[in-house]
Structures are given as C-alpha cells and as structure tokens.
Amino acid sequence: MSILYLSPGRDPEPWLAAFARAMPTEKIVVWPDVPDPAAIDIALVWKQPPGELQRYPNLRLISSFGAGVEHLVTDPEIPAHIPMVRIVEDRLTIGMAEFVALHVLRRHRWLDEIEANQKAKIWKWLPPRDTPSTTVGILGLGALGLAAAQVIRALGFKVAGWSRTPKLAEGIECFHGPDQLKAFLGRSAHVACLLPVTPDTRGLLNRQAFAAMPRGSHIINAARGPIVVDADLLAALDSGHLDWATLDVFHEEPLPVTHPFWAHPRVTVTPHNAADSLPDYVVPTMVENIDRVRSGRPLLNLVDRARGY
Ligand code: NDP
Ligand code: OXD
C-alpha cells in the first residue's frame, strides 16, 4: 500500500525527504498524479478539493498536515468510517506559545511606540505596566492554548482560560461555556484566541465580545480568521475601545491587498506563521499513527467529527 500526499500549493520536497528518512521503504504518491487510487491506504491532507477523498476505496486513515481540521470536518464527502487525526507536536506547540508571548510582551512593553519614537528620534519615557496585575486571557485551553497559558504565567502575568468543557489547571483561572465568556473577557487586558473554527466559534469575536473586553485591551487571533467579525473589530479599534489587534489568520488568505487591516495603525498583520508544521518534527508523529492504523492499535490525536475539532 502507499501514502498519498495531498496538499495543493505546498512544496512536497521537504516532506518527501523527511518521510524517506523516517520510512525509507515507503512509497509516497504526490497528488494529483495518482495512477492507482486503490493502492492508497493513508492520506496526508491539507485543503483537499471537496470530494477528492472519496476516490480512494482502501483509505484507512486521513492525517491533517496541521493542528486545524476544518478542511476535513466540513467535507461531507469524506466517508464516515475513515478516522481523521491531526497534528499535536511539541515544536508546533512551543512555536505558538512563543507567538503569544512575543505579542503580549510587545504591547505590554510599548514596543510599537518605542520603535515609532526611534524612527522620529524621540527620546520618551513610557510608564511601565504592572505585570502581576495584568491578566492575559486565552480562548481555548487545548494543546496550544494550555502551553501558551503556562508560558505567559511563567512570565508573571495573571492568566485566565476559556474552554468548552470545565478545566482545572494550576495557576490559571478557568472559565467555560457561553455563559462564562463575558466574565472571562471582562478581566483580560490581552485576549489570545486559540480556538478551532467550528459552527460555535465562527463569529464569536464580534461587537458584543469586544464590548465585554476592558477599554484599552489587545486581541490576538492566531486561530482562524472566521472566528473574528472583521467589521466589528475595526469599529472597536476605531472607537478607541480596543488598543490593538495582532492578527495571524484571516477570512481570506493571503489577506487581500485592499483589506483595511494592512494599513490600520493599530493592527499587526502576520502571514499565518504563528506556529508552523515543520516536516522533521511532524513526520515522526504521522509515522506513529500510520504504524498504529496498520497494526490495528488505537490512534493518537483523533478528530471528533461531530464536535468539529
Ligand atoms: P485543541 O483541539 O487541542 O484545543 C481546542 C480548545 O478550544 C479546547 O480547549 C476546546 O475546549 C476549545 N473549544 C473548542 N470549541 C469551543 C467552544 N465552542 N467554546 C469554548 N471553547 C471551545 O486545538 P489546538 O490547541 O491544537 O489548536 C487550536 C487551533 O489553533 C487549531 O484548530 C487551528 O485552527 C489553530 N492553529 C493555528 C496555527 C497558526 O499558525 N496560526 C497553527 C496551529 C493551529 P475543550 O478543551 O473543552 O474541548
Ligand atoms: C494549523 C495551521 O492548523 O498551520 O496547524 O494553521
């Protein structure tokens, strides 16, 4: 049997090289050049054309190239019996914690203002902000959110977290469910979104959510663009209610050149690289699940299709 590499627009070479090191005898077929669909038992997938995954009658496992799986759970043509797994991997997790810490500290320590002052040759002392009395809220306490929360806590901030189900995590004030969202947002000077996009989270960061955040707060979205209502975010920034938005993900990617986020003085745009799946780190986790499915053992990091993540 063979593995299918199905990721339009992603360079296969580094992945094939990492697989050649990890599974030297394995055959990898790069989509769309698939001479024998019946020979495929595993598909490694990112943003597949809808319906494509029905073409492989002997498929036994679908692995996302990333942590996010909305491209899989929203494809109704993927046969229901095929398990899907996603990437949970330490380098990716630490990368996301770095991103959240970087941007919280950037705002907390006035870095944007200091850089602007340097360009204008202005020597201006800015009042230090008190770390222990500043709360950073993390939306989503999963693999990425929990790690980010722990790093932020280690820096001395107060940390709050919000999830779907109740959680207990040392040093983190935990909130869950729609009823506790407002209380969570209301204490957070920085809110970092690390939620999956699902029918429940799409549009969650809207006018009401921004109004619930304290005046002068900072929103970071490193999850998925459609969780934010762009027009509501722009209105909250323009009214001065929100201080800043750091955005790594967008409704449309690449972010269209005409989008107002590009030139907004209080928005930082990063090109969906908060945390990347790097072949040498990720391939061993894929190989583990390939071995497991082929030997009939339980899979790791299974996606729950009904839940949507
Ligand atoms: P996990 O599945 O491990 O965690 C998701 C968290 O979100 C869980 O705590 C879950 O709650 C919570 N959640 C889900 N739905 C809701 C809801 N309706 N209300 C409240 N909380 C909810 O995912 P990861 O941490 O691995 O990844 C999160 C997302 O980050 C990915 O889905 C992806 O979109 C994005 N991502 C972005 C990257 C980038 O470079 N920008 C890189 C990698 C991922 P519970 O614990 O109760 O289930
Ligand atoms: C992911 C991503 O989901 O890169 O892993 O966004």
Side-chain angles (χ1 to χ4, degrees):
M1 299 304 285
S2 310
I3 298 175
L4 175 68
Y5 175 103
L6 199 185
S7 181
R10 181 192 300 255
D11 177 10
E13 287 315 320
W15 293 89
L16 298 182
F19 265 102
R21 286 189 286 277
M23 298 179 102
T25 58
E26 191 70 32
K27 182 152 192 281
I28 317 253
V29 178
V30 179
W31 184 88
D33 191 9
V34 190
D36 181 10
I40 302 294
D41 67 338
I42 313 287
L44 314 175
V45 180
W46 191 249
K47 299 192 176 157
Q48 74 286 357
E52 176 62 23
L53 288 164
Q54 314 180 63
R55 287 187 50 224
Y56 305 93
N58 296 313
L59 197 55
R60 297 170 68 183
L61 174 68
I62 298 172
S63 174
S64 172
F65 271 101
V69 288
E70 68 279 12
H71 57 296
L72 298 177
V73 295
T74 57
D75 183 342
E77 293 176 76
I78 297 180
H81 67 277
I82 303 176
M84 299 169 175
V85 292
R86 65 189 199 94
I87 299 303
V88 177
E89 182 277 308
D90 284 355
R91 188 58 245 157
L92 179 83
T93 302
I94 293 162
M96 185 58 87
E98 286 170 0
F99 182 88
V100 173
L102 170 72
H103 292 283
V104 165
L105 289 174
R106 202 189 90 237
R107 288 310 299 146
H108 186 66
R109 297 297 300 254
W110 303 103
L111 192 60
D112 302 286
E113 289 78 359
I114 289 169
E115 287 183 346
N117 288 344
Q118 181 179 349
K119 282 198 185 88
K121 300 189 176 143
I122 295 171
W123 179 281
K124 183 176 176 199
W125 181 86
L126 293 160
R129 291 172 165 134
D130 183 52
T131 304
S133 60
T134 301
T135 298
V136 178
I138 310 284
L139 286 162
L141 285 175
L144 302 180
L146 196 56
Q150 284 160 347
V151 166
I152 293 292
R153 180 177 171 239
L155 290 170
F157 291 92
K158 282 203 244 179
V159 184
W162 185 72
S163 50
R164 191 176 56 83
T165 56
K167 296 263 179 292
L168 276 178
E170 201 190 334
I172 299 169
E173 196 183 2
C174 293
F175 297 82
H176 68 277
D179 295 348
Q180 296 184 7
L181 180 61
K182 206 170 162 192
F184 160 86
L185 292 171
R187 64 207 341 97
S188 302
H190 305 256
V191 170
C193 178
L194 296 174
L195 294 166
V197 63
T198 68
D200 291 336
T201 63
R202 191 172 282 271
L204 182 89
L205 294 175
N206 57 14
R207 191 164 57 87
Q208 289 91 329
F210 298 132
M213 289 168 62
R215 190 170 178 83
S217 49
H218 170 208
I219 178 89
I220 299 173
N221 186 15
R224 286 293 184 264
I227 297 173
V228 168
V229 178
D230 289 1
D232 292 0
L233 175 56
L234 287 164
L237 289 164
D238 291 341
S239 72
H241 182 70
L242 289 190
D243 165 64
W244 206 276
T246 299
L247 305 173
D248 185 57
V249 287
F250 303 92
H251 285 258
E252 187 183 341
E253 295 180 7
L255 182 64
V257 288
T258 51
H259 198 290
F261 286 154
W262 278 116
H264 197 286
R266 305 198 79 78
V267 174
T268 299
V269 170
T270 59
H272 197 145
N273 72 341
D276 287 311
S277 292
L278 301 173
D280 280 328
Y281 292 96
V282 162
V283 163
T285 72
M286 290 173 154
V287 169
E288 174 67 31
N289 266 332
I290 294 169
D291 285 346
R292 283 171 177 257
V293 78
R294 286 179 174 166
S295 59
R297 286 178 295 136
L299 293 166
L300 304 177
N301 308 317
L302 259 179
V303 174
D304 179 334
R305 290 196 201 198
R307 209 176 57 168
Y309 63 99

